[in-house]
Amino acid sequence: MSRIVYLNGQYLPEEEASVSIFDRGFVMGDAVYEVTSILDGKILEFEGHIARLNRSLSELEITCDITPEEWLEIHRELIARNDLVEGMIYLQVSRGNAGDRDFHYPPAGTPPTVVLYTQSKPGLADDPKAKKGITVISVPDLRWHRRDIKTVQLLYASMVKMAAEKAGKNDAWFVEDGFVTEGSSNNVYIVKNGKIITRQLSNDILHGITRASLLKYAAESQMEVEERLFTIEEAQGADEAFYTSASAFVMPVVEVDGVAVGSGKPGPVATRLREIYLEESRKAAI
Ligand code: PDD
């Protein structure tokens, strides 16, 4: 049975879902997206992702009048039609079919292109990488300066993931003006003397939905959090490091640019935060 996807109001087998060659998402990278995780057939962090989607749309003046209730219904319908138990739902909204290539936005009233599909990942919450920890390289942050908008312009993120793989490592951390901004597709943290340190929010990083919940859970567990800049050298000298994202939850980082962080194994703070995050977000899933 082929996967059933959502395209502009219709549920279709994936082979039958197609988008115009003039679509702004295809020609201009003019589209925004969200990724939500599904555990036990339920959606994690739904409200946060839809709120950020609406913010991304409004920053780019893309009109899409789907309500949060309708988004929820689409997500649930896709979960049911694809028997999705553990995995992700990818959602993308582009500025739509402009009818030709043009730098100017198409006229107001041009309908956006709305695509959602499921990605089944049995064992997502039990990723063996979380027990071993992952390794990262640092790379210059050459992305544009509106990283707070979740656009589909992910070519540089793909390039640095490939560079990491070529170097025999798992992922890359971006560095700008001497300080770590974020990971290629995640927000990053270090731990020193029990304190969790992560870069403060600005247009320089994506405002992670997992990050917001993690900082809330850390505060509720009486862990100290400091939002400030840090360097690669500070990360290498930290007791622990980790990253967060919707699809990886909390992932320990055990090596930065060839230097082991702390013991070189996942540390107690990252391990505990992963447990808390999974437990709390499963409880709150809808
Ligand atoms: N990436 N920073 C960047 C650059 C990201 O691409 C992501 C998410 C995050 C973490 O945000 P959140 O916690 O809301 O997932 C931070 C998603 C998972 C992706 O592109 O697949």
Side-chain angles (χ1 to χ4, degrees):
M1 195 191 80
S2 58
R3 172 167 47 173
I4 301 298
V5 305
Y6 177 92
L7 172 62
N8 296 333
Q10 285 186 294
Y11 294 92
L12 301 166
E14 61 180 73
E15 307 77 18
E16 289 172 30
S18 55
V19 172
S20 165
I21 59 164
F22 301 117
D23 194 89
R24 292 277 304 187
F26 178 61
V27 183
M28 298 276 175
D30 187 355
V32 299
Y33 76 107
E34 286 295 331
V35 176
T36 46
S37 269
I38 308 300
L39 294 180
D40 317 314
K42 290 186 181 166
I43 314 155
L44 268 59
E45 308 264 22
F46 177 77
E47 276 177 27
H49 286 284
I50 297 303
R52 185 173 63 191
L53 171 71
N54 284 330
R55 178 177 181 277
S56 295
L57 289 167
S58 102
E59 289 296 303
L60 296 179
E61 298 172 35
I62 297 176
T63 311
C64 176
D65 49 21
I66 298 176
T67 64
E69 294 71 31
E70 288 165 339
W71 283 123
L72 181 58
E73 196 186 310
I74 298 167
H75 279 72
R76 286 187 165 155
E77 193 64 33
L78 285 175
I79 292 169
R81 290 188 189 226
N82 294 288
D83 294 323
L84 183 63
V85 179
E86 203 156 319
M88 280 104 75
I89 292 187
Y90 177 78
L91 177 171
Q92 177 175 320
V93 182
S94 86
R95 202 181 300 275
N97 175 1
D100 206 345
R101 181 175 182 270
D102 189 342
F103 281 90
H104 300 91
Y105 294 170
T110 302
T113 301
V114 179
V115 172
L116 287 91
Y117 52 83
T118 54
Q119 293 186 285
S120 179
K121 298 260 181 214
L124 180 68
D126 219 9
D127 187 343
K129 286 204 293 301
K131 297 210 172 64
K132 209 168 151 237
I134 66 124
T135 55
V136 300
I137 57 167
S138 64
V139 294
D141 198 338
L142 302 180
R143 300 173 300 162
W144 79 330
H145 287 272
R146 288 306 307 274
R147 301 164 194 155
D148 56 311
I149 307 174
K150 198 165 171 61
T151 78
V152 299
Q153 300 173 54
L154 295 173
L155 182 54
Y156 190 56
S158 288
M159 286 168 71
V160 302
K161 279 190 194 279
M162 295 309 291
E165 193 173 298
K166 230 184 210 169
K169 310 297 174 190
N170 302 117
D171 202 3
W173 280 11
F174 296 127
V175 176
E176 185 170 62
D177 300 330
F179 297 101
V180 178
T181 51
E182 59 187 332
S184 64
S185 60
N186 43 65
N187 293 118
V188 302
Y189 311 73
I190 57 173
V191 181
K192 188 72 182 174
N193 300 327
K195 191 194 282 178
I196 300 161
I197 299 156
T198 193
R199 191 182 176 107
Q200 66 277 16
L201 294 180
S202 69
N203 290 355
D204 297 331
I205 62 170
L206 186 73
H207 300 193
I209 303 306
T210 321
R211 178 188 184 279
S213 292
L214 179 106
L215 295 186
K216 187 176 85 160
Y217 299 144
E220 284 167 7
S221 308
Q222 272 71 50
M223 295 181 188
E224 206 185 333
V225 176
E226 193 179 344
E227 293 181 71
R228 65 160 172 85
L229 302 176
F230 65 87
T231 63
I232 288 292
E233 292 69 33
E234 193 178 0
Q236 290 171 327
D239 301 326
E240 294 183 40
F242 62 93
Y243 72 66
T244 62
S245 77
S247 50
F249 314 114
V250 179
M251 182 61 68
V253 173
V254 295
E255 187 197 292
V256 177
D257 280 343
V259 176
V261 178
S263 65
K265 295 207 176 78
V269 175
T271 304
R272 181 73 195 117
L273 282 170
R274 183 177 171 89
E275 281 165 11
I276 296 174
Y277 181 79
L278 279 169
E279 196 180 308
E280 293 298 324
S281 51
R282 267 187 208 273
K283 260 196 254 165
I286 58 172

